Amino acid sequence: MECFDMHLPADLKTEKPIIHISLNPHQDDVLSDSQLADIAKEYMDKLGYGNQPYMVYKHEDIARHHVHIVSIRIDDTGKKINEQVRACTQQANHP
C-alpha cells in the first residue's frame, strides 16, 4: 500500500501499520454506492480512524455487495492508534 507510505514515519516501529476491514451488509440489503460510502465513513469515525487517510472499495466477489476499507493504524504523531479503544468500539457496535 505505497499510497500510505507518505503518512508513515521513517522510524516506524509498528509491525503492522496497515489495517484492513471488510463490511458485509445483509444480502437482503440493497445499498447504493453512496450509502455504502456513508456507512464506511461512519464506521471509521466510530472506530477512531475518521481522521486517518483511508480508501473504500466495493467488492462483488460473493453473492452480495460489500466494502473493504484500508487505512493506517498510525496517527499523525506517529503513535499507534489505541487498539483497546478500537476493540471496545467494535464490541459496543456489534453486540
Side-chain angles (χ1 to χ4, degrees):
M1 306 269 38
E2 294 87 25
C3 61
F4 292 124
D5 284 349
M6 71 178 108
H7 300 284
L8 300 173
D11 62 342
L12 181 66
K13 294 177 177 58
T14 301
E15 186 177 328
K16 296 180 181 181
I18 306 295
I19 184 171
H20 173 255
I21 300 165
S22 179
L23 300 180
N24 296 278
H26 189 275
Q27 62 189 14
D28 293 341
D29 291 337
V30 178
L31 301 169
S32 69
D33 290 351
S34 178
Q35 289 171 309
L36 288 168
D38 290 344
I39 290 168
K41 180 182 180 341
E42 181 180 348
Y43 190 84
M44 293 300 281
D45 288 342
K46 287 184 177 182
L47 283 182
Y49 285 85
N51 292 326
Q52 296 298 97
Y54 63 90
M55 61 183 190
V56 179
Y57 56 99
K58 184 169 81 170
H59 219 265
E60 301 175 18
D61 64 335
I62 57 177
R64 65 181 176 277
H65 294 165
H66 59 285
V67 295
H68 291 263
I69 306 169
V70 179
S71 186
I72 57 174
R73 295 174 182 226
I74 308 301
D75 68 15
D76 59 353
T77 67
K79 289 183 163 181
K80 185 176 178 184
I81 292 176
N82 188 333
E83 293 293 320
Q84 195 170 34
V85 170
R86 183 173 155 243
C88 290
T89 305
Q90 283 181 318
Q91 186 175 8
N93 288 319
H94 302 293

